[in-house]
Amino acid sequence: MAVRMAQYTIDVENLDVMVAFWSAALGYEVEQGDDGSAKLWPPEQPSAAAPTIWLQGSGTAKQGKNRLHLDLVADTDPQAEVRRLVGLGARHVDVGQTGNERFTVLADPEGNEFCVLDGPPSR
């Protein structure tokens, strides 16, 4: 038996900012709790291809580099998607790229790194 990815959890300092960014970035529906957290639901049934996102209020700022991050793939032009995400509040970050990568590294409004891949992962 194997496990599958069901949900990705992000600790956040400003829940409203992060809900606005990630729901717009992913096109997910928002279910905001009264406990300082929010669940983001994919437009279709959650699956290994589209897990839910849990934004968990932490009250503290991010410190250091992520040990785990999201790799996103666009349905259309990856660089157009990068520009859209930057327009939503993401920013380019340097984590040691050489310039030959098949992805773009960005950070969300609170500095959590993620990548936009040039295409779907392949073997």
Side-chain angles (χ1 to χ4, degrees):
M1 178 171 216
V3 297
R4 67 174 178 84
M5 176 81 110
Q7 178 169 281
Y8 191 82
T9 301
I10 304 172
D11 289 342
V12 302
E13 184 175 15
N14 186 323
L15 184 65
D16 293 334
V17 167
M18 297 297 278
V19 163
F21 176 79
W22 282 109
S23 63
L26 299 172
Y28 277 30
E29 299 171 17
V30 177
E31 181 182 320
Q32 195 154 339
D34 56 4
D35 61 352
S37 67
K39 175 89 77 146
L40 304 182
W41 295 92
E44 62 279 341
Q45 185 67 21
S47 69
T52 58
I53 305 289
W54 179 257
L55 299 175
Q56 179 174 271
S58 68
T60 60
K62 176 187 175 286
Q63 297 179 16
K65 184 182 179 305
N66 294 12
R67 298 288 304 255
L68 181 68
H69 67 266
L70 292 172
D71 283 341
L72 307 178
V73 64
D75 291 333
T76 59
D77 174 34
Q79 290 311 305
E81 188 60 23
V82 167
R83 290 189 296 276
R84 184 183 78 85
L85 293 167
V86 168
L88 291 173
R91 61 184 169 81
H92 290 269
V93 293
D94 181 356
V95 295
Q97 303 94 303
T98 66
N100 296 321
E101 293 80 10
R102 295 185 27 93
F103 56 84
T104 302
V105 183
L106 299 174
D108 69 18
E110 289 193 357
N112 299 297
E113 297 93 358
F114 64 97
C115 294
V116 177
L117 306 178
D118 289 349
S122 61
R123 292 182 181 246

